Amino acid sequence: MAYTSYQKKKEFDEKWRGVEVLDGEVKEEMDRLTRGSMGMNEKRMQLLDAEGFVWDPLEAQWFERLQELKDYKMTHGDTLVPKVYPANPSLGLWVGNQRTTYTIYQKKKEFDEKWSGVEVLDDEVKEEMDRLTRRLNGMNEKRVQLLEAEGFVWDVPAHIWESRFQELRAFVALNGHAAIYRRKRGPYDLLATWASTQRRNYIKRQNGQLLDSVGFAWGKYKNTRVRRTLC
């Protein structure tokens, strides 16, 4: 707490340096930060740094998990840590959390870009900004770059689909066709299972388009002017 207040006090002093007349609100904030710093100064910071003092435990924990991710990659060749990973349950949960917070981080960037330059924001926009900021959980551009440097996969389903598609291309190049079907204990079981899923999804999509063509009601029909037929 003292370190955080001291850093904010330094930034605050820098911002208002040279301003001869300060309003009451600024003076009160300066006094508050001074009290919060509890005597922290550069000399004390240097003494604590010399002992390897950890100023931000959450930041330190994040980098500890990043190192564990690097170790996992060295062993498995990728960063696809399962959500349930008995060898290191905390790492599996952490990896999933990075993907969640990354999605929120991207939404926050889009939101900020959309409203940048708007001087007066209504309460609803402000509340959404605050909500996204609270849910970021420390995600920032530096962390994104550090994870991507390790080949971190943000969208696992899309990654798996692309990987299977590349396997299919290799299969076609080797066999001259894409008629791959599952066989018991076959060498292409995983690829064949994926191919079967694509066929099912294709049929569903075709059926869906046919139903759409007649105005099929997929959910609850809200147009009360149209009489519903109950069977």
Side-chain angles (χ1 to χ4, degrees):
M1 289 292 291
Y3 171 79
T4 303
S5 295
Y6 176 68
Q7 292 298 326
K8 288 182 179 179
K9 176 70 165 51
K10 285 175 65 177
E11 294 173 3
F12 207 76
D13 290 344
E14 182 71 23
K15 178 180 178 180
W16 294 101
R17 181 175 297 156
V19 179
E20 295 182 0
V21 180
L22 300 174
D23 62 30
E25 188 175 344
V26 173
K27 289 180 180 178
E28 287 180 7
E29 181 63 10
M30 280 186 170
D31 291 340
R32 187 186 70 81
L33 291 173
T34 299
R35 291 193 301 272
S37 62
M38 299 174 65
M40 181 60 69
N41 53 46
E42 289 297 324
K43 182 179 179 181
R44 290 183 177 182
M45 284 176 55
Q46 291 171 3
L47 288 171
L48 289 167
D49 283 337
E51 300 302 321
F53 189 81
V54 177
W55 296 106
D56 189 340
L58 293 177
E59 183 80 355
Q61 186 182 65
W62 192 91
F63 277 95
E64 182 181 341
R65 293 285 178 267
L66 179 64
Q67 184 57 53
E68 291 174 1
L69 181 67
K70 292 179 179 180
D71 295 339
Y72 179 94
K73 182 181 177 182
M74 287 289 292
T75 302
H76 299 86
D78 59 49
T79 58
L80 298 172
V81 184
K83 185 175 182 180
V84 179
Y85 182 47
N88 188 345
S90 297
L91 180 60
L93 293 173
W94 180 82
V95 165
N97 185 55
Q98 301 315 297
R99 295 192 179 100
T100 300
T101 53
Y102 174 78
T103 301
I104 296 168
Y105 176 67
Q106 294 299 321
K107 289 181 180 178
K108 177 69 165 52
K109 284 176 65 176
E110 294 173 3
F111 205 78
D112 290 344
E113 185 175 339
K114 178 181 179 180
W115 295 101
S116 64
V118 180
E119 295 183 1
V120 181
L121 300 174
D122 61 32
D123 291 340
E124 188 175 347
V125 173
K126 290 179 180 178
E127 287 178 6
E128 180 63 9
M129 281 184 171
D130 291 340
R131 186 186 71 84
L132 291 172
T133 300
R134 288 194 302 271
R135 295 185 62 200
L136 280 177
N137 200 22
M139 182 58 71
N140 53 43
E141 200 61 34
K142 179 183 176 181
R143 291 186 177 185
V144 170
Q145 292 173 0
L146 288 170
L147 287 166
E148 289 183 345
E150 301 303 321
F152 193 81
V153 176
W154 299 112
D155 189 337
V156 176
H159 173 78
I160 292 174
W161 196 96
E162 180 62 28
S163 297
R164 292 286 180 261
F165 179 69
Q166 294 304 324
E167 290 177 23
L168 180 64
R169 293 187 67 182
F171 177 89
V172 173
L174 182 64
N175 297 279
H177 64 83
I180 179 171
Y181 297 93
R182 188 174 182 182
R183 298 288 185 271
K184 290 183 179 179
R185 294 181 296 278
Y188 294 106
D189 272 1
L190 289 177
L191 180 59
T193 299
W194 176 84
S196 296
T197 300
Q198 306 315 303
R199 294 185 184 100
R200 288 197 300 272
N201 289 342
Y202 176 78
I203 292 171
K204 288 179 181 178
R205 180 172 178 272
Q206 295 297 102
N207 290 341
Q209 289 176 338
L210 287 171
L211 290 168
D212 283 339
S213 69
V214 296
F216 186 77
W218 293 102
K220 291 183 178 180
Y221 199 78
K222 297 181 180 181
N223 189 346
T224 57
R225 291 177 300 176
V226 177
R227 183 179 179 182
R228 292 177 296 176
T229 302
L230 303 180
C231 300

